[in-house]
Amino acid sequence: MAESTMMDVPLQIRRLLDHGAGLHGGSRIVTATDEGPRSVTFAETGERAARLAGALQALGISPGDRVATFMWNNAEHVEAYLAVPSMGAVVHPLNIRLFPEQIAFIANHANDRVVIVDNTLLAGFAKLLPSLKSVRHVIVCGPADRSVLEGSGVGIHDYDQLLAAAPAEFAWPDVDERTAAAMCYTSGTTGHPKGVVYSHRSIYLHALALPAPDVFGLSSGDLVLTVVPQFHVLGWGLPYAAFLTGSSLAMPGQYLTPEPLARFIAEARPNKGAGVPTVWAGLQQHLDDHPEVDVSSLTELVVGGAAVPPALLQAYDERGITMVHAWGMTEMSPLGTVARPPAHASGEDRTRYRLTQGRFVAPVEARLVGPTGDIVGWDGESVGEVEVRGPWITGSYYREDDDEHFGEGWLRTGDVGSITPDGYLKLTDRVKDVIKSGGEWISSVELEGHLMGHPAVAEAAVVGVPDDRWGERPLAAVVLREGQKAEPGELHEFLSNKVAAWQLPERWAVVDEIPKTSVGKFDKKIIRTAYTHDDLNVTTLG
Ligand code: ADP
């Protein structure tokens, strides 16, 4: 084999940090606070990251150690994202929305040594601390009554004081690009949380891919509202991509409900955003009710984590804001597909493409495996489980013998769908959510999308419930918009010209809200359980 003449320069987070803090030193991280937005430059962030690394080293953190965060999206959280891997340690954002037992399980499983905690989350964290076995130090960001942590036997520190006492420079080590840089656990929508460990190389490559025009299209002139939590798949990799491209970040902190989020948009004036559909749906309703809020800076919102309802995409189109649908998962860093229509598409065709999960982004490869284990063709019709591989796709779970999700060098995603000949993925369901009715599959996602297009419906979740005759039948749980009325019969009628008659739900429940998982997706487990326990007021149509 002939050798190349290229240099073998490792893809390290410290290089990405140097690049952003140096060449894009004037770019900013804007964080929402009670007193309005506060802002730091990438240059300042670079220095603060060096100080944080020095402080962590002084606390005994060495390469390979886990440093957890228990934080909202904010400037300090980005500092941790950069400092911890750059010093050779592993940053581990904990999902603050999980049940305490789950968080303790995860922190113990990961062997977290230090936790950096936001002051606003301290009360909850203090209750958790006694069950965190490996934690030796807690660093609190922002003014707080740290006495709630006393008696815990761990070191308690103030973030800003630690940074002020640390040197302004740090001699970053030369780490192997294949070593661990960060880790996240799946949010456990299915089963107990499983750890995914990202490498310097995988994060760097993913960060290089995000800014491409057909991907997220990021440039140094952008200000990106990062609503997707940093504890959710590394904030979709946006903080790292920002340091490569110089895109500024707008971090909403704890202000995630529609009213303060809308205010933050009006004040900080981001032009792009990224988040799950429920966040954008809440914002959309708020803007409908408060037309005076100025969100005119926004041009484009990436939406993923769950399927975007067609009506939501349309509602934002009408505001002149383009939603870009994307698909991925914790195991995929998360980027898999992005739904930018091909150049030749126009009119309705463009919308059809935009509503797919999107086209696979290189270097992610995919295949479809049908119900019998055969490889299914990319004809846009045939349905199978999506399997993926690539340099930012995990090949296993951390400290877990799992061969259910891995085989022949592919990751089984648990998502079911079809792929068009030009590589656009259309998901129809999750393997466990698809409704198996009389030997046919009914897509819960498709029914939900149609229902959320009804003017009286705010949210809809469809689940399969046991049925004597068909095995399973769909049950539709709907939340009505305030002040609106719609009878199940009317909603059934509304669906009848949109899906085949045998797919129409007979069972209906009007509920106050659809239960959500810790990352804002519909929690169908809870709806199924409520149905089984007769806790839902179900109307059955004849
Ligand atoms: P969890 O599996 O715990 O919910 P993830 O955030 O990793 O955690 O979720 C990944 C899953 O979310 C995917 O496997 C898929 O089922 C779903 N998902 C992500 N993006 C989309 C999308 N655009 N459309 C439909 N489903 C999506």
Side-chain angles (χ1 to χ4, degrees):
M1 205 93 75
E3 275 188 16
S4 89
T5 59
M6 290 298 116
M7 297 182 186
D8 191 10
V9 178
L11 306 176
Q12 297 157 324
I13 304 297
R14 58 166 268 223
R15 290 176 197 276
L16 193 152
L17 167 60
D18 278 349
H19 179 82
L23 283 70
H24 296 290
S27 296
R28 292 167 305 136
I29 306 172
V30 183
T31 304
T33 77
D34 272 342
E35 290 89 45
R38 65 180 163 104
S39 175
V40 291
T41 65
F42 281 13
E44 287 162 335
T45 302
E47 187 194 313
R48 289 174 61 85
R51 288 177 182 275
L52 175 58
L56 288 168
Q57 193 177 50
L59 294 180
I61 289 298
S62 47
D65 284 345
R66 270 67 169 137
V67 175
T69 59
F70 197 76
M71 302 170 87
W72 303 106
N73 288 15
N74 55 37
E76 289 74 15
H77 207 170
V78 177
E79 289 161 13
Y81 260 45
L82 295 165
V84 175
S86 295
M87 68 184 291
V90 184
V91 66
H92 175 204
L94 289 165
N95 183 340
I96 59 174
R97 299 229 178 84
L98 294 177
F99 292 116
E101 307 80 65
Q102 277 180 313
I103 301 173
F105 166 85
I106 290 172
N108 293 334
H109 189 263
N111 204 22
D112 294 334
R113 315 294 292 176
V114 172
V115 190
I116 308 175
V117 186
D118 272 333
N119 56 352
T120 51
L121 296 168
L122 195 58
F125 179 79
K127 292 198 199 107
L128 201 61
L129 188 55
S131 44
L132 307 185
K133 308 264 181 288
S134 52
V135 172
R136 298 289 170 266
H137 295 277
V138 175
I139 305 174
V140 183
C141 276
D145 174 11
R146 299 199 298 277
S147 66
V148 290
L149 299 174
E150 268 163 22
S152 57
V154 306
I156 303 163
H157 314 270
D158 173 79
Y159 188 87
D160 280 330
Q161 278 172 11
L162 274 190
L163 261 59
E169 282 177 26
F170 190 88
W172 304 117
D174 214 10
V175 298
D176 184 324
E177 65 173 15
R178 287 179 171 78
T179 54
M183 63 193 303
C184 282
Y185 280 70
T186 61
S187 46
T189 312
T190 56
H192 74 91
K194 297 192 185 77
V196 172
V197 183
Y198 310 101
S199 65
H200 286 257
R201 176 184 156 81
S202 72
I203 292 174
Y204 201 112
L205 289 171
H206 187 268
L208 279 174
L210 276 193
D214 274 346
V215 185
F216 284 12
L218 300 178
S219 75
S220 56
D222 288 329
L223 174 58
V224 186
L225 175 67
T226 308
V227 187
V228 53
Q230 287 186 253
F231 56 72
H232 191 202
V233 213
L234 299 181
W236 294 352
L238 283 164
Y240 294 116
F243 266 67
L244 273 190
T245 56
S247 310
S248 293
L249 295 166
M251 296 305 209
Q254 71 265 45
Y255 306 98
L256 298 171
T257 51
E259 199 256 318
L261 186 64
R263 190 175 341 120
F264 181 52
I265 296 170
E267 289 167 346
R269 300 196 61 73
N271 63 326
K272 294 190 175 152
V276 294
T278 44
V279 164
W280 300 136
L283 181 68
Q284 157 61 21
Q285 274 184 42
H286 178 80
L287 295 175
D288 262 355
D289 299 340
H290 299 86
E292 74 282 2
V293 183
D294 178 10
V295 295
S296 60
S297 60
L298 284 179
T299 58
E300 196 171 283
L301 299 176
V302 177
V303 57
V308 64
L312 189 64
L313 193 103
Q314 198 188 337
Y316 275 101
D317 273 350
E318 284 162 13
R319 291 185 180 282
I321 299 171
T322 307
M323 287 200 124
V324 179
H325 193 200
W327 165 82
M329 58 198 301
T330 306
E331 292 85 336
M332 300 172 65
S333 293
L335 184 63
T337 59
V338 181
R340 307 245 184 210
H344 63 75
S346 58
E348 291 283 293
D349 206 23
R350 272 182 70 78
T351 310
R352 254 194 304 282
Y353 273 111
R354 288 178 63 204
L355 288 170
T356 67
Q357 271 61 30
R359 178 137 63 175
F360 285 93
V361 171
V364 178
E365 295 171 64
R367 67 177 191 179
L368 287 177
V369 180
T372 56
D374 299 346
I375 303 295
V376 172
W378 290 16
D379 56 14
E381 303 272 326
S382 310
V383 169
E385 179 172 358
V386 186
E387 298 195 354
V388 291
R389 70 177 172 204
W392 61 66
I393 312 288
T394 197
S396 62
Y397 289 115
Y398 177 62
R399 285 178 49 207
E400 172 106 34
D401 296 324
D402 178 320
D403 39 21
E404 183 194 332
H405 290 89
F406 305 94
E408 301 167 23
W410 295 84
L411 164 74
R412 301 193 182 107
T413 63
D415 286 330
V416 172
S418 60
I419 304 179
T420 62
D422 50 355
Y424 284 81
L425 170 68
K426 178 77 194 162
L427 288 188
T428 46
D429 233 318
R430 273 194 153 185
V431 172
K432 61 174 194 34
D433 285 337
V434 68
I435 300 153
K436 298 159 192 95
S437 171
E440 297 278 354
W441 280 0
I442 300 176
S443 162
S444 65
V445 175
E446 191 186 350
L447 290 173
E448 288 161 5
H450 288 309
L451 279 171
M452 287 188 271
H454 188 282
V457 176
E459 286 183 337
V462 181
V463 299
V465 296
D467 182 271
D468 291 343
R469 178 144 178 234
W470 302 104
E472 253 180 24
R473 290 296 299 159
L475 158 83
V478 296
V479 180
L480 297 179
R481 282 180 197 281
E482 242 179 75
Q484 300 272 354
K485 273 211 166 92
E487 295 301 324
E490 180 191 335
L491 296 173
H492 185 271
E493 174 72 28
F494 174 77
L495 284 183
S496 62
N497 62 356
K498 297 188 168 59
V499 300
W502 60 271
Q503 301 186 347
L504 291 169
E506 300 77 23
R507 297 171 180 82
W508 294 82
V510 174
V511 294
D512 293 337
E513 67 170 330
I514 306 287
K516 310 275 187 327
T517 68
S518 61
V519 292
K521 303 184 196 186
F522 292 163
D523 197 335
K524 299 195 178 182
K525 262 189 304 210
I526 297 184
I527 303 173
R528 282 193 204 97
T529 315
Y531 178 80
T532 321
H533 293 161
D534 255 348
D535 285 344
L536 286 179
N537 188 4
V538 177
T539 307
T540 306
L541 303 175

